[in-house]
Amino acid sequence: MAEAVTAGATRLLPGLPDEIVVWEILVRLPPKSVLRCRPVCRAWRRVTSTRDFLLAHHGMQPSLPVVYGYEKADTNYRNILAIDHRSTDTQVQHVARFDIDKLICVEASCDGLLVISMVWTSRRFSVCNPVTRQHALLPHPPDFSLFSVFGMYLHHPSGEYRLLLYRRSNGVSYVGYLLPDGKVGCYALALGSSQPPRYIGGPEPASELQFYTPVLVRDSLHWSKGIHSRLVVVFDTTAESFREMRVPTVPANSSLVQMDGTLGMCSCNDTMKVVDIWVLKDYQGEIWEHKYRIKLPVEEIRVQFGRWEDYWCVAVDSLDGDFLLLLSSDEWLFYVDSDGKLVDSSHCGGQELSACGIRLKQTLVPHTFFTALQDYAVNASPFI
């Protein structure tokens, strides 16, 4: 890390050692604040642009739940918002604004990168960094409607960021020249590579697959296999292999979450008034523990805000051994703690909010694969 601080006649801040300024102050700033401080002087730009600094800075950033914000007054835009209840400034952070004339949807997230799908006359996938506003299209077969994005991951042995794709049909299509065998199953696509997606198989039977947003724990992606299944599909991102894991018997309305570095499961009852939380106490032994049964503060929300919905988007934000439930509906976000107490609320007037299950850990780390992709651009469409 010492390479980020070079000897000079003038200190970065008078009265403080440069090591303190860089590794105790600047490294803890939000990404947008780092970008704003770079024009102060050449020394500040230099120390905040080294790879050591950028990696350390990324490591300091929280992993935040992402919420869609649909603007009611102007339906041509979609906002991507991050929820940070620890922030003393604002809880709802504006991450990106997209032109939704192209029907944009966030498909996956990894290390501050977002994979989005866009629909023009046909479906296209692209990758972007909302902090640096870099964007590029991904290579694709002519008929990508046969494919779904199951997740995105860093393949540590190669250093490549890869997409895990699933081809869900073996019917006639136009993909034959890229996938000559037309196999149903999972494919890996390395970002920036000129090679077509590589077939890696997948769990069987394929007809039962119903993957949702994955949870990354121990360098493996985890999905609930289906709404009636007691199995979790696990994808080892190093070996690029699949296995299955048992989960507790829970109602159909459940989802996987990360709970301070381990796997958790959140389940709502049919009336959306009770939430149960399980935690994987022993990962290797696949032993789950029922940790919480939370009765949501229905009457308090109804009396205080004059509303209670029959359906809420429920997300879990893990907070250093504790957590908050995030309930989103219409223009409102409500924060409920593990005791079922309403601890806070946010109102985003003019925007309809919806939690999407994606988490974002923002980054300023540069990625070389961007320039190898089609239509690479900065500060251009679909960003607004």
Side-chain angles (χ1 to χ4, degrees), residues 81-381:
L81 309 170
I83 310 304
D84 187 1
H85 190 263
R86 289 153 288 196
S87 173
T88 57
D89 181 15
T90 178
Q91 297 169 357
V92 181
Q93 298 182 5
H94 178 87
V95 173
R97 198 181 195 195
F98 292 130
D99 183 346
I100 63 168
D101 282 342
K102 302 178 180 65
L103 299 178
I104 287 174
C105 180
V106 179
E107 301 280 353
S109 176
C110 180
D111 289 347
L113 302 169
L114 295 178
V115 173
I116 59 178
S117 60
M118 300 175 290
V119 179
W120 288 297
T121 55
S122 62
R123 191 180 184 195
R124 292 297 304 267
F125 292 145
S126 65
V127 61
C128 69
N129 182 334
V131 175
T132 60
R133 295 177 62 84
Q134 296 169 287
H135 176 268
L137 292 174
L138 297 177
H140 71 297
D143 186 1
F144 225 175
S145 62
L146 296 179
F147 287 82
S148 298
V149 175
F150 273 0
M152 180 183 181
Y153 60 97
L154 173 61
H155 184 247
H156 288 285
S158 66
E160 293 177 336
Y161 283 92
R162 296 177 178 178
L163 282 187
L164 183 65
L165 304 173
Y166 181 71
R167 186 172 188 255
R168 59 186 179 275
S169 172
N170 58 359
V172 176
S173 73
Y174 296 102
V175 303
Y177 82 100
L178 282 179
L179 307 175
D181 48 16
K183 291 181 180 178
V184 172
C186 291
Y187 291 76
L189 174 65
L191 301 188
S193 171
S194 60
Q195 298 299 313
R198 173 173 51 86
Y199 179 73
I200 58 175
E204 297 293 342
S207 60
E208 293 184 2
L209 292 179
Q210 193 170 4
F211 284 7
Y212 303 99
T213 304
V215 174
L216 179 64
V217 173
R218 297 193 177 197
D219 290 329
S220 293
L221 296 174
H222 301 74
W223 301 263
S224 297
K225 190 171 183 180
I227 59 175
H228 300 297
S229 176
R230 290 192 59 197
L231 294 175
V232 165
V233 177
V234 184
F235 177 69
D236 186 320
T237 62
T238 298
E240 295 187 311
S241 61
F242 290 91
R243 62 183 178 88
E244 292 181 340
M245 175 185 291
R246 289 283 176 182
V247 296
T249 302
V250 297
N253 189 17
S254 61
S255 59
L256 294 178
V257 296
Q258 187 186 74
M259 302 286 291
D260 287 322
T262 190
L263 198 61
M265 178 167 282
C266 172
S267 174
C268 301
N269 70 347
D270 292 337
T271 63
M272 299 299 292
K273 295 180 180 179
V274 177
V275 175
D276 288 287
I277 302 289
W278 284 263
V279 174
L280 188 56
K281 184 178 180 180
D282 181 349
Y283 187 91
Q284 296 298 333
E286 300 182 11
I287 299 175
W288 293 78
E289 178 183 6
H290 183 259
K291 292 283 289 186
Y292 304 96
R293 168 156 287 187
I294 305 164
K295 294 183 179 180
L296 300 180
V298 177
E299 291 304 319
E300 183 179 356
I301 293 176
R302 182 179 286 124
V303 170
Q304 187 172 346
F305 301 95
R307 63 185 306 112
W308 178 263
E309 306 294 337
D310 293 330
Y311 180 79
W312 294 83
C313 292
V314 180
V316 177
D317 192 6
S318 185
L319 297 168
D320 300 325
D322 203 352
F323 68 91
L324 291 175
L325 296 179
L326 306 181
L327 313 180
S328 61
S329 182
D330 198 24
E331 300 178 359
W332 286 92
L333 283 172
F334 297 104
Y335 306 82
V336 178
D337 67 13
S338 56
D339 294 322
K341 295 180 180 179
L342 179 65
V343 296
D344 212 341
S345 63
S346 293
H347 181 240
C348 298
Q351 295 192 73
E352 184 172 346
L353 303 177
S354 176
C356 62
I358 298 290
R359 301 188 73 88
L360 180 66
K361 187 180 176 73
Q362 297 183 82
T363 187
L364 291 167
V365 176
H367 297 286
T368 58
F369 65 76
F370 269 110
T371 56
L373 296 173
Q374 180 183 351
D375 294 338
Y376 167 66
V378 182
N379 286 323
S381 178

